[in-house]
């Protein structure tokens, strides 16, 4: 398993630096450990590690909007450094669509707006930011992005 190492002689798994019996950890706990490792990897700009950890977490907990949002952000960050960002942005788009299926909230619309901007779809981005502001008028970063896009369109 990504993010977990098991010894053949001991049925033990190392998660987040702590060794516990595999039977003692449920899928939610394993997912949370993978998410924590992914967030640390993102902070270190280790996007492949973050994506792998998030994919593992998502294999355990399939309906977490937060995991889809984080992996979408990881794909977008990796795309910024890629010679050809298109495949990474397409993967981010798949995650953004699933995110919006799981959770119609300001943060989800904001992530979708960021992605639309990066994909060169300013009108769609404006719509997503407007929905984010509609859901949460205090989400200042969405208000700023909405104003900037409205001004340029």
């Amino acid at each position: 398993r990504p993010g977990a190492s098991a010894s053949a002689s001991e049925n033990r798994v190392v998660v987040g630096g702590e060794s516990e019996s595999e039977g003692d950890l449920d899928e939610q706990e394993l997912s949370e450990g993978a998410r924590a490792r992914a967030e640390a990897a993102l902070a270190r700009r280790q996007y492949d590690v973050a994506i792998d950890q998030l994919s593992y977490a998502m294999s355990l907990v399939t309906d977490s909007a937060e995991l889809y949002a984080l992996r979408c952000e990881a794909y977008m960050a990796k795309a910024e450094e890629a010679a050809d960002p298109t495949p990474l942005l397409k993967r981010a788009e798949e995650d953004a669509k699933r995110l919006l299926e799981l959770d119609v909230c300001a943060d989800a619309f904001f992530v979708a707006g960021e992605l639309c901007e990066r994909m060169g779809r300013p009108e769609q981005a404006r719509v997503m930011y407007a929905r984010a502001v509609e859901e949460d008028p205090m989400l200042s970063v969405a208000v700023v992005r909405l104003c900037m896009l409205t001004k340029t369109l």
Side-chain angles (χ1 to χ4, degrees), residues 1-56:
R1 279 184 225 173
S5 61
S7 165
S9 61
E10 307 174 3
N11 191 20
R12 299 183 70 74
V13 66
V14 176
V15 179
E18 295 179 28
S19 177
E20 297 193 29
S21 169
E22 191 170 342
D24 293 343
L25 297 174
D26 67 10
E27 290 180 344
Q28 184 66 37
E29 290 171 320
L30 290 169
S31 176
E32 288 170 6
R35 177 189 171 152
R37 287 187 298 281
E39 288 175 335
L42 278 171
R44 293 187 307 271
R45 301 172 58 103
Q46 295 174 330
Y47 304 122
D48 287 330
V49 172
I51 290 165
D52 288 346
Q53 289 297 312
L54 290 165
S55 296
Y56 171 64

Side-chain angles (χ1 to χ4, degrees), residues 120-136:
R121 302 175 185 164
E123 182 54 38
Q124 286 179 324
R126 189 193 64 73
V127 169
M128 292 294 117
Y129 291 140
R131 290 288 310 272
V133 171
E134 182 180 306
E135 293 290 323
D136 181 0

Side-chain angles (χ1 to χ4, degrees), residues 103-111 126-147:
D103 192 6
V104 180
C105 69
D107 291 335
F109 285 118
F110 180 76
V111 169
R126 189 193 64 73
V127 169
M128 292 294 117
Y129 291 140
R131 290 288 310 272
V133 171
E134 182 180 306
E135 293 290 323
D136 181 0
M138 301 306 291
L139 187 60
S140 60
V141 67
V143 172
V144 169
R145 292 262 179 90
L146 177 60
C147 289

Side-chain angles (χ1 to χ4, degrees), residues 58 64-65 68-69 71-73 75-76 89-105 108-109 111-113 115-116 119 121 124 128:
M58 293 160 75
S64 171
Y68 278 96
R71 192 170 69 174
C72 181
E73 290 173 5
Y75 280 131
M76 286 190 288
L89 293 175
K90 293 277 187 201
R91 289 181 182 159
E93 185 174 32
E94 292 169 13
D95 282 354
K97 286 178 183 177
R98 182 70 177 128
L99 168 62
L100 289 169
E101 290 171 5
L102 291 169
D103 192 6
V104 180
C105 69
F109 285 118
V111 169
L115 177 61
C116 289
M119 295 183 83
R121 302 175 185 164
Q124 286 179 324
M128 292 294 117

